[in-house]
Amino acid sequence: MNLRELSERLNLSQTTVSRALNGYPEVNEQTRARVAAAAAKFNYRPNVRARTLATGRAMAIGHIIPFSNQNEMVNVVFADFIAGAGEVYAGHGYSMSLALVRDEDELSAYRGVAEKGAVDGIIVHSPARDDPRIAVLADLDIPFLVHGRVSEVKTPYAWLDVNNTCAIATGTGHLLDLGHRRIGLINGEERLDFAQRRRDGYLAALAAAGLAPDPALMHSAEMSEPRGHSAAHRMLDLPQPPTALVASSLVLALGVRRAIEERGLRMGRDVSVLCFDDELSYLPNGTDRPQFTAMRSSVRAAGRRCAELLMGQIAEPDQPLPTELWEADLVIGASTGPCPQRDL
Amino acid sequence: MNLRELSERLNLSQTTVSRALNGYPEVNEQTRARVAAAAAKFNYRPNVRARTLATGRAMAIGHIIPFSNQNEMVNVVFADFIAGAGEVYAGHGYSMSLALVRDEDELSAYRGVAEKGAVDGIIVHSPARDDPRIAVLADLDIPFLVHGRVSEVKTPYAWLDVNNTCAIATGTGHLLDLGHRRIGLINGEERLDFAQRRRDGYLAALAAAGLAPDPALMHSAEMSEPRGHSAAHRMLDLPQPPTALVASSLVLALGVRRAIEERGLRMGRDVSVLCFDDELSYLPNGTDRPQFTAMRSSVRAAGRRCAELLMGQIAEPDQPLPTELWEADLVIGASTGPCPQRDL
DNA sequence: TCCGCCATTCAAAGCGCTTTGAAGTGATTC
DNA sequence: GAATCACTTCAAAGCGCTTTGAATGGCGGA
């Protein structure tokens, strides 16, 4: 059942039927009711493909998720971000088009997704420091918004980011306040922008306390549980082990905790742990008395907001490009405590 | 730059240009080269919307992820499944359209996604025992495939599932072989089909060993870390606590482990834990000496296979509906050991 | 009675591509 | 020299919708 058939059945023109169904005012209310009834009766649904061709809008947002070959890990936060964005899209009649893209086909993939007309806008995930995607997208002349930032790109672009530097500086400062002096950092891959910024925050906090960084206390790798586990072990094996660890994600922190406990130590007493908590729905850190002391910022909320900002950009392309910087909250949990007076 | 413009520039008809670009044989190789060069030069990309209208195929697969209001948790396995499916789609020129759907708008959402022509096929996630979606989709007359099964639906439909009953029966049997007699089950929500089947497997193994199930040792809730944690505590608080626990997912098992350690017990010695491991990329259980003894089946591989099966169905609609049942592997890890001879 | 106006409705022109059926070339065959 | 054929190319008809610009008819005011 298509528009032509329906309009023939009703003895009306396609124009009138289309307008009746789309709520245009220049249709007699009686006619509109008749059309609506027939549409329901014959179970008519307009063909999306034809509609998008005619209107010129795809009513879809593209999300491009990069994943490399060496490291097939799908970003842990991705599901929650998508959930947040998806909620908003649904409320606005947009659909969401996902593309998982291997690093090496990045460029072609952008063409694939942004290929003329498949989507009205794009959200860029997991940007690297000098992410080439920004230039490509700017060139493609399609609205896009970056979840995160791209330090090395100086041309303006739309983004929403957590203040990672400040967050980790605050967190590290909290550990310093507790008296810790040897503090390790277990970070994500530092080619990614957020990880680089978190590292900056860590270094800034140490510097502010007059401490020199120790390369042996800085680790960077993909953010999985076993990585956190092995990195923590390695640091705790040092002649001068850290008394506190900063983990760049809750998943890493889980591995850190396992390592601590395997050594017969207690987290929060013998070793303090602070992590960044994206408030993932399936890995909640607790509300009243969180398991981990953390810098907290909901990635799901970020997804929602990114969706809103991008749709706003699409609706009003002449507005300045939106940028938003969110501050993370420090929440005190059970994983931190005063520095043990080990050598006194 | 569209096809018409390009063909005018080349002094060729749209037909020839279209055929040249799409690899049809009836085009002079010299002409084809000329067309290809011009297309590259003018950066021509065919408009996807127009193409799908003309061909009648959307070249997109829809994924519908349900989430309820009480429980906003996005299925943990979802990201990995999507990653697997996405890889396969990319290789076949398909794109992936996601819809996050609140339980209450389920029906309308199906119309939204399957709305005439938006997608060529649909993958159904997290089916419940008597999932109403199957009937709706069958009615919509669009190819679809269920990841999991729907026990109460008797009409044929395409599916791919892990043999959950058998997997958990095997796992529980393993614990029984180790001498455990009080074994707890920490399951997912049992309105979901897979959880129901896992429960069946647990009960079957107990029955085979001549043991009666104890309701106090059976827990069912959403699969998050804190739920595993609280459920384990509750069971270990019983006058006759279990000596072994079966957890329906690795995330639950993480909470279980935390509870065990909080009580000063050691997992694998004092309390054995067996879980179902979906081989999530960011929560690997280890390969040589896994942290947890587990029934293992890769959800990413399932995603890949589901995508293949669905695309096969779309390509050859007259073939019988595919169904596939996968067996999970028992992998022995550090979390299980012989039943402690507590009261002897 | 005529005119202009408002409320409806319509025919037709796209949107940009694919695909059908026909036609224009030489070259080859009888 | 006419007929056949393979190889290329083309004009035009969709695909199913939206939207423009025009037409229709009923009505009150002049």
Side-chain angles (χ1 to χ4, degrees), chain A residues 89-248:
Chain A
Y89 296 148
H92 288 72
Y94 273 79
S95 72
M96 173 163 54
S97 178
L98 274 202
L100 283 124
V101 178
R102 293 187 181 277
D103 286 353
E104 66 264 27
D105 344 297
E106 201 118 55
L107 301 190
S108 65
Y110 276 91
R111 311 219 176 278
V113 174
E115 200 170 22
K116 270 251 227 45
V119 298
D120 299 324
I122 290 186
I123 290 201
V124 176
H125 292 266
S126 304
R129 269 185 76 74
D130 56 345
D131 208 300
R133 294 180 287 175
I134 310 307
V136 175
L137 283 173
D139 217 52
L140 245 46
D141 199 30
I142 184 172
F144 70 98
L145 184 140
V146 181
H147 178 216
R149 270 175 293 176
V150 189
S151 304
E152 315 240 317
V153 168
K154 297 308 175 203
T155 52
Y157 58 90
W159 54 266
L160 181 151
D161 199 7
V162 168
N163 195 341
N164 284 298
T165 307
C166 190
I168 295 299
T170 304
T172 308
H174 175 68
L175 294 170
L176 288 164
D177 289 346
L178 288 167
H180 297 277
R181 283 300 170 269
R182 281 193 65 72
I183 302 175
L185 172 67
I186 300 179
N187 203 359
E189 294 180 78
E190 289 174 358
R191 60 179 188 83
L192 297 177
D193 201 82
F194 79 92
Q196 185 77 224
R197 288 179 190 271
R198 290 185 187 174
R199 183 175 190 262
D200 292 347
Y202 165 81
L203 292 174
L206 290 189
L211 295 173
D214 178 350
L217 292 184
M218 297 173 64
H219 184 265
S220 159
E222 75 173 35
M223 300 201 288
S224 67
E225 201 269 358
R227 294 291 196 151
H229 176 253
S230 61
H233 265 313
R234 213 171 315 138
M235 290 190 192
L236 294 171
D237 277 338
L238 291 172
Q240 291 199 339
T243 62
L245 292 168
V246 174
S248 209

Side-chain angles (χ1 to χ4, degrees), chain A residues 321-339:
Chain A
L321 294 170
T323 64
E324 231 171 73
L325 187 61
W326 288 13
E327 297 300 333
D329 300 322
L330 171 63
V331 296
I332 307 294
S335 67
T336 46
C339 181

Side-chain angles (χ1 to χ4, degrees), chain A residues 3 15 18-19 22 24 44 51:
Chain A
L3 186 61
T15 310
S18 170
R19 289 193 160 150
N22 290 319
Y24 283 73
Y44 167 74
R51 187 207 293 264

